[in-house]
Amino acid sequence: MKKILKRQVLALAAGVITATTFSITVFAGSAGASISASDKSASTAVLGNTTGTYRYVVSNGTTSKYSIEGYLYKGKTDASINTQAKKVTVGIGDVYADNITVNKDTYTVAQAKIYGNAKSNKKTGCIAATIISNK
């Protein structure tokens, strides 16, 4: 079930860890990433699948210039995270939140990515964040 919630404040971005260029696999808790107005995209750390369900959240700030695209990818290992589990487009000031169920025997890790405007046409000017966690 998809839920889009209007938000006036992007409080989510304040507590999100900015993604870096190295890869880390996280097996507990959550992983998050954010983009500032000068970024075109961001990726979370790789999160281990301990429950079979991920809580997937994508939030786009009220001051963003464009919608954003969010992707949740799943894989057997962090080297093979290439299967799309979910794709969402989130409008300015909106938040998407849903539980995404995956086969935890086949897909043991996941990673979330966000793109300013669109994956195929990345642009700067967005304030956005994404978080995945084991549900």
Side-chain angles (χ1 to χ4, degrees):
M1 177 161 93
K2 182 169 102 170
K3 300 171 189 136
I4 300 289
L5 308 170
K6 288 285 187 186
R7 298 285 184 226
Q8 295 302 319
V9 179
L10 179 62
L12 184 60
V16 175
I17 301 169
T18 303
T20 58
T21 57
F22 58 91
S23 175
I24 297 174
T25 301
V26 180
F27 286 99
S30 63
S34 63
I35 55 176
S36 66
S38 61
D39 299 321
K40 291 184 177 182
S41 65
S43 301
T44 67
V46 175
L47 183 66
N49 184 357
T50 61
T51 64
T53 302
Y54 289 104
R55 182 69 175 167
Y56 177 50
V57 179
V58 181
S59 180
N60 192 5
T62 58
T63 59
S64 289
K65 292 183 180 178
Y66 309 99
S67 293
I68 58 168
E69 278 187 354
Y71 291 81
L72 180 64
Y73 293 101
K74 59 187 178 179
K76 183 68 175 170
T77 67
D78 38 336
S80 68
I81 299 176
N82 55 11
T83 303
Q84 183 178 305
K86 189 70 177 178
K87 173 188 172 187
V88 296
T89 300
V90 180
I92 297 168
D94 289 341
V95 175
Y96 170 87
D98 202 1
N99 297 327
I100 309 298
T101 302
V102 297
N103 181 324
K104 70 178 186 175
D105 296 325
T106 305
Y107 300 105
T108 59
V109 292
Q111 184 176 38
K113 298 182 181 187
I114 51 174
Y115 300 92
N117 188 48
K119 182 179 176 181
S120 62
N121 186 17
K122 296 179 275 299
K123 294 184 179 183
T124 60
C126 294
I127 308 290
T130 186
I131 295 176
I132 53 173
S133 61
N134 284 293
K135 177 88 172 125

